[in-house]
């Protein structure tokens, strides 16, 4: 059980695509938060299109604060809800470990066009090998080396359990270190 005063990363939902409104609200309060963004072609009302940064995963925001602070912030705010998982017969807020969150932020901020966002159920990590990347923009990233449906080669997939998965660009096996030796590369 987390201490009330421990600063942790909460996975939160901002329903109806209000993740940027939630981010602006938290920024004004001085609370660290993160919304994964990607560049996309957006059509404007006048029919023109332009490239803009948009949320990569709708309704998702990560908030770095204490349980006490997030509880107080949620009072009277309908655009910030806990993402939960069943645990011991009740739903508990999902907390992402700091190390995993740092890697996720680094990977998603790389703005590499070949990064693919997936739902956790789209990745079968049981068929993958736990690996660490050495070199390049993803240096130090840990994930699972798996074959994705519809893709030619295997990719390193970083998973935040119950929330999302990010498939990195194709990486040469020369840059991959096996962490878990259960399956061969």
């Amino acid at each position: 059980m987390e201490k009330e005063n421990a600063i942790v990363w909460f996975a939160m939902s901002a329903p109806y695509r209000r993740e940027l409104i939630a981010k602006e609200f938290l920024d004004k309060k001085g609370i660290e938060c993160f919304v994964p963004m990607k560049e996309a072609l957006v059509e404007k009302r006048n029919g023109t299109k332009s490239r803009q940064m948009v949320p990569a995963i709708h309704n998702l925001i990560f908030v770095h604060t204490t349980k006490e602070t997030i509880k107080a912030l949620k009072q009277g705010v309908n655009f910030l809800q806990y993402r939960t998982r069943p645990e011991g017969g009740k739903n508990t807020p999902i907390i992402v470990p700091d190390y995993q969150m740092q890697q996720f932020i680094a990977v998603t901020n790389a703005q590499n066009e070949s990064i693919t966002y997936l739902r956790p159920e789209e990745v079968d990590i049981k068929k993958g090998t736990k690996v660490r990347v050495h070199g390049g923009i993803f240096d130090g990233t840990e994930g699972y080396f798996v074959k994705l449906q519809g893709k030619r080669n295997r990719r390193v997939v970083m998973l935040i359990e119950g929330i999302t998965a990010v498939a990195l660009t194709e990486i040469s096996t020369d840059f991959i270190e096996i962490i878990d030796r259960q399956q061969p590369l």
Side-chain angles (χ1 to χ4, degrees), residues 112-155:
N112 189 307
E113 289 181 14
S114 28
I115 290 177
T116 307
Y117 292 88
L118 307 161
R119 291 186 309 278
E121 60 271 12
E122 291 180 284
V123 181
D124 187 1
I125 61 169
K126 290 181 226 122
K127 292 183 178 179
T129 304
K130 181 95 170 149
V131 297
R132 182 179 299 117
V133 178
H134 291 286
I137 61 172
F138 301 118
D139 186 42
T141 301
E142 293 180 7
Y144 295 89
F145 199 52
V146 294
K147 174 89 170 89
L148 297 176
Q149 188 173 357
K151 301 291 180 191
R152 176 173 250 164
N153 297 323
R154 295 193 295 174
R155 294 185 176 197

Side-chain angles (χ1 to χ4, degrees), residues 25 29 68-80 82:
F25 169 77
K29 299 277 186 188
E68 185 179 276
T69 301
I70 199 70
K71 207 180 231 183
L73 283 171
K74 284 178 42 57
Q75 297 298 327
V77 175
N78 63 354
F79 53 80
L80 202 54
Y82 291 115

Side-chain angles (χ1 to χ4, degrees), residues 4 8-15 59-61 63 65-75 77 79-85 91-95 163:
E4 292 286 319
V8 295
W9 282 102
F10 290 93
M12 307 287 292
S13 179
N59 308 326
L60 178 65
I61 183 169
V63 183
T65 190
T66 64
K67 188 174 184 178
E68 185 179 276
T69 301
I70 199 70
K71 207 180 231 183
L73 283 171
K74 284 178 42 57
Q75 297 298 327
V77 175
F79 53 80
L80 202 54
Q81 301 170 0
Y82 291 115
R83 299 283 294 262
T84 61
R85 70 169 49 111
N91 288 332
T92 57
I94 296 175
I95 294 172
I163 303 292

Side-chain angles (χ1 to χ4, degrees), residues 166-181:
V166 180
L168 309 182
T169 183
E170 293 176 13
I171 298 173
S172 167
T173 54
D174 297 342
F175 297 106
I176 295 175
E177 168 195 1
I178 298 174
I179 298 173
D180 182 0
R181 294 230 173 249

